[in-house]
Amino acid sequence: MSIAELFDNEFKRRMKGRFAAVVRVLFADGKFDPDEKKFLDKLAIKLEISNEEYEEILENPLKYELNPPYLHIERLESLYNIARVVHHDHHLGDKQEILLRKFAVALGFTTSNVDYIVNKALALVDKKVDLDTFIYEMQNMNR
């Protein structure tokens, strides 16, 4: 196996793991609503998850390894990426905030300030800031 194939396989494994993590968060209440299902459909395409992999992950998302972010900056990076995906799909409307709240809590942000974090994250993503600006603004939003 070449180094390029090794990196491709590892990248694919991580994408499937991330997709499975999203499925776990959305399925925490035991079902997907139609908007969440549409979101998953689009996310699977963006992450290059095949139809077979998609069905397999939906059937058993616990089969895939989770690599939750440990450091605060890693959680902010994940929040930035998820916020961009959620915000990009404007068909979610008000549900984009609800969906992002679920992800923020799953990333380890506290429920006591998750509304403030989500509102700030969506405002920054709406302004199309880059990752560095997003992290700086999120780290300094109480100043």
Side-chain angles (χ1 to χ4, degrees), residues 76 79-81 83-84 87 120-138:
L76 289 174
L79 182 64
Y80 174 73
N81 290 326
R84 287 178 43 219
H87 186 268
K120 180 71 172 182
L122 287 173
L124 291 169
V125 169
D126 192 44
K127 292 179 183 177
K128 298 183 180 3
V129 300
D130 62 11
L131 176 61
D132 291 334
T133 303
F134 181 88
I135 290 172
Y136 176 82
E137 291 292 329
M138 294 300 288

Side-chain angles (χ1 to χ4, degrees), residues 60-77:
N60 186 9
L62 299 176
K63 175 181 172 183
Y64 296 88
E65 180 182 337
L66 282 181
N67 293 314
Y70 175 72
L71 300 173
H72 183 68
I73 196 160
E74 292 172 336
R75 286 185 290 176
L76 289 174
E77 289 171 358

Side-chain angles (χ1 to χ4, degrees), residues 93-120:
D94 292 338
K95 286 191 175 187
Q96 71 181 354
E97 289 180 25
I98 295 166
L99 193 57
L100 195 53
R101 274 189 206 101
K102 287 181 180 183
F103 290 125
V105 170
L107 286 170
F109 294 99
T110 61
T111 55
S112 62
N113 64 358
V114 75
D115 291 338
Y116 185 58
I117 289 169
V118 165
N119 290 336
K120 180 71 172 182

Side-chain angles (χ1 to χ4, degrees), residues 18-37 39-40 54-62 98-99 102-103 106:
R18 288 181 181 167
F19 184 73
V22 169
V23 170
R24 286 184 194 186
V25 169
L26 294 180
F27 198 66
D29 59 0
K31 61 181 172 40
F32 299 119
D33 72 32
D35 289 330
E36 291 173 339
K37 184 72 167 84
F39 175 76
L40 286 175
Y54 180 82
E55 292 302 323
E56 184 179 310
I57 292 169
L58 288 182
E59 187 175 307
N60 186 9
L62 299 176
I98 295 166
L99 193 57
K102 287 181 180 183
F103 290 125

